[in-house]
């Protein structure tokens, strides 16, 4: 596949580049071509690091790079050989490598074992409970157990940020609070609804004594106070409390002017209610904040105790979790000799899905890349790993630091009519985050309708009412009719591999259901139909009753044995299952 102009610009950038890549814009293809470009400009695969966020994605990226080299430089067998040892991995795998190569600087044992994500979480849950039980009891006088546990879980998820935060007090954040309130107030005063209301209400008036005129005067007075930064909280409350009932047409210049005053006051009141609900303008230091300040020393002591307990438990077991890998790698990279070692070893970095990077990973990259060429690929709109401490600010900071940004705007997943609808739909939703896309394909493969909805609606007067099974049979027959029609009419579809439009085939059709139960009925109904003189082939990947699955039966046998240890049949079933995998002979 050839490169689009924007892809080509990114691939052939001489120095650092940040690529803004929306979904379906060919970022994996770009990364493989960028990797090849580095090879062609003199780098070895052993000098290039390519990173993404899951093992599956890293495996796919290595495969795509290998295919690209095979297709465009088949004579370079040395590149192909070195690719097998190249650092194409996840962030955690790279951090683990740093720890293994410099265990003393990283503060880890040389023979540590890295727990996977789920094993690490289970181990941490158990060990945290043990550490909390050993906490000095006086710490629980200020902080109840449930709150203490929640705090420790949050701190351990991002220990570096937690440690830095616990060193701060209100002298650090109160000025930030004041700046935040000023920004919120300025946003209020510059809002279209506020400005429109001020322009309207300050230019019209009714006769004195009219209820609507009284309301207008109260609101104008309150708006004036807020504009002068005086009594903001009470002034906002005054606008919210204003009575919009009453008002005589005789007291105003016309019926239209009275109506305009009422509508303006109503719109402003609703707007201010929303502003007060957010509460940013009236934020203030309260008794609760004072209480939190008093608990910080206890939190610091508890966090230090818990960290030391977990550290000792890990040292004894010689294990590290994902967070540990990053933190200890960062510790090693703070050493100038380690930095020099990697700056001479790795000369170019390609990082995919950079919008999901956390602050620790961002710091790791800083230490690893002071003299390297960096290629970042990401998209703010696709940041979904906040629960794993991903911080979109890391992406923004690196993008601003690099300065050279290229946006990929050609989608390879859709045709132009669909892309036009997407642009129209998301422009008012995403605002400044929206990126206008074009499509690689101009024409849609077939005419509308592209979406149809059908419903099985029994006659309400029918007695007795049809059963659920009967309705599902009717539904299955209708789905089979649709599949048969699509195949017989040879609906044109786009073939991604050949990049041509061709008639639909059975393998192009997917049938999804909310639950597994109806899938078997769908399969049977479709398989009974014929296309081109043959039965329509069906592959059922899931379906049936979950409790009938092998895994569920093994788990049930285990529960039965735990409930009654004399149940030898259940014991045998458990021992033969994958839980223990003991052979019949043994």
């Amino acid at each position: 596949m050839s490169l689009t102009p924007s892809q080509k610009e990114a691939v052939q950038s001489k120095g650092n580049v940040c690529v803004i890549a929306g979904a379906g814009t060919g970022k994996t293809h770009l990364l493989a071509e960028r990797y090849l470009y580095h090879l062609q400009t003199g780098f070895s695969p052993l000098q290039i690091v390519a990173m993404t966020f899951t093992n599956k994605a890293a495996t796919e990226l290595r495969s795509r790079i290998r295919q690209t080299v095979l297709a465009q430089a088949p004579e370079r067998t040395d590149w192909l050989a070195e690719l097998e040892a190249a650092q194409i991995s996840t962030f955690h795998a790279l951090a683990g490598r740093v720890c293994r190569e410099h265990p003393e600087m990283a503060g880890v044992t040389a023979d540590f074992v890295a727990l996977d994500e789920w094993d690490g979480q289970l181990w941490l849950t158990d060990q945290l409970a043990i550490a909390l039980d050993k906490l000095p009891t006086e710490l629980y006088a200020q902080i109840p157990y449930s709150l203490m546990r929640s705090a420790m879980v949050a701190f351990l998820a991002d220990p570096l940020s937690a440690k830095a935060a616990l060193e701060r007090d209100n002298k650090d954040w109160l000025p930030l609070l004041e700046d935040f309130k000023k920004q919120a107030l300025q946003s209020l005063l510059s809002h279209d609804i506020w400005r429109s209301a001020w322009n309207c209400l300050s230019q019209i008036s009714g006769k004195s004594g009219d209820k609507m005129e009284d309301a207008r005067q109260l609101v104008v007075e309150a708006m004036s106070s807020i504009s002068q930064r005086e009594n903001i909280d009470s002034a906002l409350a005054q606008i919210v409390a204003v009575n919009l009932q009453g008002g005589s047409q005789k007291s105003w210049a016309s019926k239209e002017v009275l109506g305009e005053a009422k509508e303006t006051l109503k719109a402003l009141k609703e707007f201010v209610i929303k502003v007060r609900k957010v509460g940013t303008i009236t934020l203030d230091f309260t008794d609760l904040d004072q209480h939190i300040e008093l608990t910080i020393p206890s939190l610091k002591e508890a966090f230090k105790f818990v960290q030391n307990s977990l550290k000792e438990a890990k040292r004894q077991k010689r294990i590290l979790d994902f967070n540990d890998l990053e933190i200890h790698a960062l510790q090693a990279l703070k050493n100038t000799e380690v930095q020099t070692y990697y700056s001479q070893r790795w000369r170019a970095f390609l990082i995919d899905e950079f919008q999901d990077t956390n602050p620790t990973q961002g710091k790791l990259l800083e230490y690893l890349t002071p003299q390297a060429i960096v290629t970042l690929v990401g998209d703010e709109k696709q940041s979904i790993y906040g629960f794993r401490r991903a911080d979109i600010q890391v992406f923004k900071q690196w993008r601003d630091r690099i300065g050279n940004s290229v946006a990929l705007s050609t989608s390879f997943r859709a045709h132009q009519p669909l892309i036009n609808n997407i642009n129209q739909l998301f422009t008012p939703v995403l605002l400044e985050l929206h990126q206008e896309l074009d499509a690689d394909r101009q024409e849609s493969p077939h005419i509308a309708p592209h979406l149809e909805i059908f419903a099985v609606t029994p006659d309400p007067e029918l007695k007795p009412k049809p059963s659920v099974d009967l309705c599902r049979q009717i539904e299955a027959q209708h789905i089979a009719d649709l599949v048969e029609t699509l195949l017989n009419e040879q609906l044109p579809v786009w073939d991604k591999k050949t990049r041509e439009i061709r008639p639909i085939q059975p393998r192009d059709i997917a049938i999804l259901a909310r639950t597994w139960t109806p899938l078997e009925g769908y399969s049977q109904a479709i398989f009974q139909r014929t296309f081109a003189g043959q039965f329509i082939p069906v592959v059922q990947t899931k379906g049936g009753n979950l409790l009938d699955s092998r895994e569920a039966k093994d788990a049930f046998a285990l529960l039965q044995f735990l409930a009654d240890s004399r149940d030898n049949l259940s014991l045998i079933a458990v021992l033969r299952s994958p839980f223990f995998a003991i052979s019949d002979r043994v």
Side-chain angles (χ1 to χ4, degrees):
M1 187 170 70
S2 60
L3 294 168
T4 66
S6 55
Q7 286 178 328
K8 188 174 182 180
E9 179 186 355
V11 165
Q12 298 181 358
S13 291
K14 300 296 182 185
N16 300 338
V17 60
C18 180
V19 182
I20 315 300
T25 54
K27 63 177 182 176
T28 306
H29 176 58
L30 176 142
L31 283 167
E33 292 287 344
R34 178 68 166 167
Y35 197 103
L36 178 62
Y37 175 80
H38 283 320
L39 295 178
Q40 292 170 336
T41 54
F43 290 144
S44 155
L46 301 180
Q47 295 176 303
I48 306 171
V49 174
M51 285 191 294
T52 185
F53 281 81
T54 65
N55 289 322
K56 181 180 178 182
T59 301
E60 180 186 355
L61 183 56
R62 185 185 295 274
S63 175
R64 291 289 289 273
I65 291 171
R66 188 188 295 113
Q67 290 172 11
T68 301
V69 173
L70 269 172
Q72 300 189 43
E75 73 285 356
R76 294 304 302 261
T77 55
D78 55 330
W79 287 351
L80 291 168
E82 290 178 349
L83 268 176
E84 301 310 310
Q87 188 69 37
I88 304 173
S89 67
T90 64
F91 254 107
H92 294 113
L94 180 134
R97 182 168 189 168
V98 172
C99 291
R100 292 188 191 284
E101 293 178 344
H102 303 277
E104 187 175 345
M105 296 298 183
V108 300
T109 58
D111 58 346
F112 73 84
V113 174
L115 298 176
D116 66 27
E117 183 178 8
W118 300 114
D119 285 342
Q121 288 183 5
L122 290 171
W123 185 91
L124 179 62
T125 299
D126 290 341
Q127 294 299 318
L128 178 58
I130 294 171
L132 289 174
D133 285 343
K134 295 179 180 178
L135 265 182
T137 54
E138 59 267 20
L139 294 178
Y140 288 119
Q142 272 193 317
I143 308 168
Y145 180 89
S146 59
L147 184 57
M148 180 71 80
R149 185 185 184 284
S150 298
M152 293 303 111
V153 169
F155 292 167
L156 291 169
D158 190 355
L160 295 181
S161 298
K163 184 178 178 181
L166 289 170
E167 296 299 325
R168 302 295 183 91
D169 57 24
N170 58 22
K171 293 185 181 125
D172 297 303
W173 61 263
L174 275 177
L176 297 176
L177 174 63
E178 290 303 318
D179 289 342
F180 189 56
K181 289 168 63 176
K182 288 177 183 177
Q183 292 174 14
L185 179 58
Q186 186 56 43
S187 177
L188 169 75
L189 297 176
S190 60
H191 198 281
D192 289 344
I193 293 178
W194 182 275
R195 293 167 63 182
S196 175
W198 175 259
N199 291 336
C200 173
L201 298 175
S202 61
Q203 293 178 15
I204 62 174
S205 63
K207 292 181 180 179
S208 179
D210 181 80
K211 290 185 177 180
M212 194 54 58
E213 170 60 15
D214 291 344
R216 185 197 69 84
Q217 290 180 14
L218 283 171
V219 168
V220 169
E221 179 185 338
M223 294 180 76
S224 180
S225 295
I226 294 169
S227 299
Q228 296 171 23
R229 277 73 174 173
E230 297 175 354
N231 304 319
I232 295 174
D233 196 12
S234 59
L236 289 172
Q238 188 171 317
I239 295 175
V240 169
V242 70
N243 186 354
L244 301 182
Q245 299 297 319
S248 171
Q249 182 179 331
K250 296 179 181 179
S251 300
W252 294 79
S254 67
K255 179 181 178 181
E256 289 73 22
V257 173
L258 174 59
E260 183 180 7
K262 283 188 174 182
E263 288 300 316
T264 302
L265 288 168
K266 180 182 178 183
L268 179 65
K269 180 175 180 176
E270 291 174 350
F271 172 61
V272 171
I273 289 173
K274 292 179 182 178
V275 169
R276 290 189 81 211
K277 188 174 182 179
V278 174
T280 50
I281 294 178
T282 56
L283 279 175
D284 208 352
F285 193 81
T286 66
D287 292 341
L288 179 59
D289 297 301
Q290 185 66 41
H291 175 71
I292 292 173
E293 283 288 309
L294 294 174
T295 62
I296 286 179
S298 297
L299 285 172
K300 285 173 65 175
E301 184 180 347
F303 186 42
K304 183 178 179 180
F305 182 92
V306 167
Q307 273 196 308
N308 289 337
S309 297
L310 295 177
K311 185 177 180 181
E312 178 59 23
K314 288 174 182 175
R315 188 191 65 78
Q316 291 180 5
K317 293 286 187 180
R318 299 179 182 274
I319 59 175
L320 298 176
D321 60 25
F322 275 12
N323 278 351
D324 296 327
L325 292 175
E326 294 178 353
I327 291 168
H328 286 285
L330 194 59
Q331 179 180 326
L333 286 166
K334 289 179 180 178
N335 182 280
T336 54
E337 292 182 7
V338 177
Q339 289 180 37
T340 302
Y341 173 80
Y342 287 113
S343 66
Q344 293 174 349
R345 181 176 183 176
W346 291 327
R347 307 297 300 279
F349 284 74
L350 295 83
I351 299 99
D352 193 14
E353 306 289 4
F354 199 74
Q355 75 278 351
D356 290 321
T357 306
N358 64 47
T360 306
Q361 292 165 343
K363 200 69 179 174
L364 276 172
L365 204 59
E366 280 185 40
Y367 284 123
L368 287 167
T369 62
Q371 299 174 1
I373 298 174
V374 179
T375 301
L376 306 180
V377 179
D379 179 16
E380 292 179 56
K381 301 185 294 298
Q382 297 186 63
S383 181
I384 60 173
Y385 284 101
F387 63 94
R388 290 184 180 173
R389 301 183 295 118
D391 186 350
I392 194 64
Q393 293 303 319
V394 177
F395 174 75
K396 292 179 179 178
Q397 290 164 5
W398 273 88
R399 181 189 61 196
D400 295 343
R401 182 185 308 171
I402 288 175
N404 178 28
S405 293
V406 177
L408 304 186
S409 58
T410 301
S411 171
F412 296 92
R413 289 185 185 170
H415 46 78
Q416 194 61 51
L418 178 57
I419 289 295
N420 290 339
N421 290 334
I422 291 172
N423 286 334
Q424 183 179 5
L425 177 65
F426 284 102
T427 297
V429 176
L430 296 176
L431 300 176
E432 70 276 1
L433 284 178
H434 176 66
Q435 178 187 356
E436 285 286 314
L437 294 175
D438 294 313
D440 179 54
R441 293 180 278 137
Q442 294 303 306
E443 301 296 329
S444 59
H446 48 261
I447 60 173
H450 301 296
L451 176 65
E452 294 181 90
I453 299 176
F454 303 93
V456 178
T457 309
D459 186 341
E461 297 182 0
L462 196 60
K463 300 273 173 105
K465 291 183 178 180
S467 66
V468 172
D469 288 340
L470 178 59
C471 290
R472 280 184 176 158
Q473 290 175 22
I474 296 170
E475 187 178 61
Q477 291 302 321
H478 185 70
I479 291 173
D481 290 342
L482 291 174
V483 170
E484 188 176 12
T485 300
L486 291 174
L487 294 171
N488 287 330
E489 294 182 354
Q490 298 189 313
L491 181 78
V493 297
W494 175 258
D495 190 303
K496 185 178 179 180
K497 290 184 178 179
T498 63
R499 296 186 58 78
E500 293 179 347
I501 291 177
R502 60 164 172 78
I504 195 170
Q505 297 175 11
R507 62 185 172 88
D508 299 316
I509 301 171
I511 298 175
L512 311 178
R514 186 179 63 83
T515 62
W516 289 2
T517 306
L519 290 178
E520 188 172 349
Y522 297 164
S523 298
Q524 291 176 355
I526 294 169
F527 185 70
Q528 292 169 0
R529 304 303 176 93
T530 58
F531 166 64
Q534 297 182 342
F535 290 113
I536 298 174
V538 179
V539 176
Q540 188 174 329
T541 58
K542 292 287 184 181
N545 188 340
L546 180 62
L547 296 179
D548 288 335
S549 65
R550 183 70 262 170
E551 296 85 353
K553 289 181 177 178
D554 289 338
F556 187 62
L558 176 59
L559 292 173
Q560 283 182 311
F561 173 69
L562 292 175
D564 181 2
S565 59
R566 298 168 299 176
D567 188 343
N568 288 332
L569 288 177
S570 294
L571 174 59
I572 292 171
V574 171
L575 294 177
R576 294 178 71 250
S577 75
F579 289 134
F580 295 94
I582 296 176
S583 69
D584 288 344
R585 183 181 61 82
V586 173

